Amino acid sequence: MKFKILVLLLITLGLASCNKDEEDLVVSYEEMNDLFVPLLIDSRMNFQPIQLDIQHGTHEFFPGVPSQTKGFNGSYLGPTIKMYKDEDVHLQFTNNIGAATSVHGHGLHVPGQVDGSPHNRIEPGETWDVTIPIRQEASSNWYHPHLMGSTAEQVHAGIAGFYIVEDDNSQSLGIPKTYGVDDFPIAVQDRAFVDGRMVDYPIGRTDDLREPTLVINGTVDPFVSVPRSNVRLRLLNASNARSYEFFVEGNLPFHKIATEGGFLESPVELTKLRISPGERNEIVIDMSNGDVELMASYLPTRLNNANPNSDPISRVLYLEVDDNLSPLNTNLAQNLNTIQRYNEGDVVNTRTFDVSDGKINGQKMDMNVINETVNRGELEKWTIKSGRHPFHMHGVAFLILSVNGGPPNHEDVGWKDTFMPNGEGEILLRFDYLATEEYPYMYHCHILEHEDAGMMGQFVVQ
Ligand SMILES: [Cu+2]
């Protein structure tokens, strides 16, 4: 088979000054691996409730070498759950990992009571029975643990999956939309291996965990066969701490079609795309001219120090054209969405979040303290001061008003829920659902080590 080529992946990390436990690493292996595409559970096609067992497993990142992992209904990651706007999805998460957890729907606009925050604790042996009302537009979201102090370890072990929301627009648009054929969820993570075995999470770590080897949907050095037409990748940065700059080998252009909370108004042509932890970006790659290698530069902790000549680079995914597959979408729709923009003049309240020194506004997370109170339905402007911390809040999507005094890039003018301003950014947002003192929403840094160490706050929407 043509994939059985010798691949020598040489990763020389230039970040030793930031993370002394990262060392130069040479990994060599003889063949690429078939990209794992998570099972699709369509909420319309399945009897509900959908059962998701959070369990221990063994996963072979390298053939014949089992690693101790965790996942939903499997050894690593979980099924992709397809949901539909204006429908309710009934889920039952059963905790079989022997330690407490929670399952947050990152990107879902739902009341605090069903958000899966640290207050929706699932004890070992318990089942969290939850019905999630989907009222938002088509978007790529994800689910992952969110228990105070355990999130980094549990996500690292493999507990994460995709929630894909569809609506009438997404189902009728001229875009790639056949799951597993020309539409793929792509969870990008970094892991370390010794003799092919994944290195366990260093419990108690408070500094960024940045590891040398990319793992895509639990697959090391993956390839995927695709039709000679447009291919859509729903890129999720599910890494604990790393940010990446994605590009196509040869700097070929591709199109970004969606931010975290929905489609852009029209595709934006790019040659590179930065994604910080927690962010999702949907891109479309034109496969009409043959095989494509999607690559990633590993960015330094501060994005504005990125150096394309010295940052380590790794392949994310080899896309191979298979002419036995019928070409599907060849003409990418140009009108993707209508975004009703907020008017800054309608802002009722402003807040500032200083995300630095392991704290937010000088405070560390306290499960018993509500840090902010927001009124439902009122437009707010939040100023996010963050040099290197991706800031995420629950329950809503926002629009970027400014980044370091200028307008946002064209590819960032859609709905978002995670934002790394690399300085100072202003966002406009309005909450539509309640979050009580019993089940407040969170805002936090999405570097999981920072989140677990307390770089998080709580707010109610009343
Ligand atoms: Cu942080």
Side-chain angles (χ1 to χ4, degrees), residues 112-334:
Q113 194 170 1
V114 295
D115 178 61
S117 81
H119 297 272
N120 294 114
R121 193 179 166 94
I122 316 172
E123 297 295 343
E126 279 187 2
T127 295
W128 186 44
D129 187 306
V130 61
T131 297
I132 302 180
I134 303 299
R135 303 291 180 265
Q136 66 198 84
E137 67 184 69
S139 46
S140 297
N141 304 292
W142 63 306
Y143 57 99
H144 65 75
H146 210 306
L147 200 68
M148 189 62 216
S150 308
T151 300
E153 181 273 325
Q154 294 185 353
V155 172
H156 187 274
I159 310 181
F162 280 85
Y163 282 150
I164 290 178
V165 176
E166 302 285 3
D167 62 13
D168 291 344
N169 181 40
S170 67
Q171 293 177 284
S172 60
L173 275 178
I175 55 173
K177 49 180 179 268
T178 307
Y179 185 85
V181 178
D182 66 355
D183 177 2
F184 297 92
I186 301 288
V188 181
Q189 300 176 306
D190 53 324
R191 295 290 180 267
F193 295 90
V194 172
D195 298 330
R197 206 174 304 275
M198 186 179 86
V199 177
D200 286 344
Y201 187 78
I203 303 279
R205 186 174 176 113
T206 57
D207 196 10
D208 313 37
L209 183 69
R210 296 154 73 82
E211 297 183 304
T213 304
L214 284 191
V215 171
I216 313 302
N217 297 352
T219 317
V220 174
D221 200 27
F223 75 89
V224 63
S225 296
V226 295
R228 191 180 289 277
S229 50
N230 288 323
V231 169
R232 173 184 183 184
L233 302 179
R234 301 172 188 255
L235 298 174
L236 159 66
N237 185 345
S239 301
N240 281 37
R242 261 196 205 287
S243 293
Y244 305 96
E245 183 169 274
F246 293 87
F247 63 98
V248 170
E249 183 65 29
N251 284 314
L252 300 174
F254 55 90
H255 287 90
K256 176 168 161 180
I257 62 167
T259 47
E260 286 101 71
F263 291 111
L264 291 162
E265 294 198 305
S266 53
V268 175
E269 186 177 293
L270 298 172
T271 55
K272 51 193 169 189
L273 172 64
R274 290 180 173 185
I275 311 186
S276 64
E279 286 185 300
R280 290 87 63 208
N281 282 259
E282 295 185 27
I283 64 171
V284 171
I285 297 177
D286 177 3
M287 298 299 301
S288 62
N289 294 317
D291 298 1
V292 162
E293 289 181 86
L294 180 67
M295 311 294 291
S297 297
Y298 295 180
L299 295 174
T301 53
R302 284 181 185 274
L303 290 188
N304 46 13
N305 292 340
N307 182 346
N309 299 317
S310 68
D311 293 328
I313 290 172
S314 186
R315 185 166 62 216
V316 176
L317 179 63
Y318 190 99
L319 297 109
E320 195 241 10
V321 171
D322 181 348
D323 282 318
N324 293 317
L325 298 171
S326 302
L328 294 170
N329 176 266
T330 53
N331 214 345
L332 182 62
Q334 292 304 299

Side-chain angles (χ1 to χ4, degrees), residues 402-420:
S402 73
V403 183
N404 295 315
N409 293 332
H410 293 300
E411 68 269 26
D412 295 326
V413 297
W415 296 106
K416 288 182 61 62
D417 58 50
T418 310
F419 179 35
M420 172 119 86

Side-chain angles (χ1 to χ4, degrees), residues 368-441:
N368 298 310
V369 171
I370 300 296
N371 302 88
E372 302 283 339
T373 298
V374 173
N375 290 326
R376 180 165 58 153
E378 291 183 356
L379 186 66
E380 299 215 348
K381 181 168 82 171
W382 289 12
T383 300
I384 317 297
K385 296 181 175 179
S386 169
R388 69 177 199 87
H389 303 279
F391 187 81
H392 167 57
M393 82 291 296
H394 293 195
V396 77
F398 57 79
L399 294 170
I400 300 175
L401 183 62
S402 73
V403 183
N404 295 315
N409 293 332
H410 293 300
E411 68 269 26
D412 295 326
V413 297
W415 296 106
K416 288 182 61 62
D417 58 50
T418 310
F419 179 35
M420 172 119 86
N422 237 259
E424 187 171 313
E426 295 174 307
I427 59 176
L428 296 177
L429 69 177
R430 192 189 64 209
F431 292 86
D432 293 329
Y433 305 102
L434 294 177
T436 62
E437 284 192 23
E438 190 182 3
Y439 294 107
Y441 286 142

Side-chain angles (χ1 to χ4, degrees), residues 389 445 447 450 455:
H389 303 279
C445 171
I447 291 176
H450 299 186
M455 218 170 187

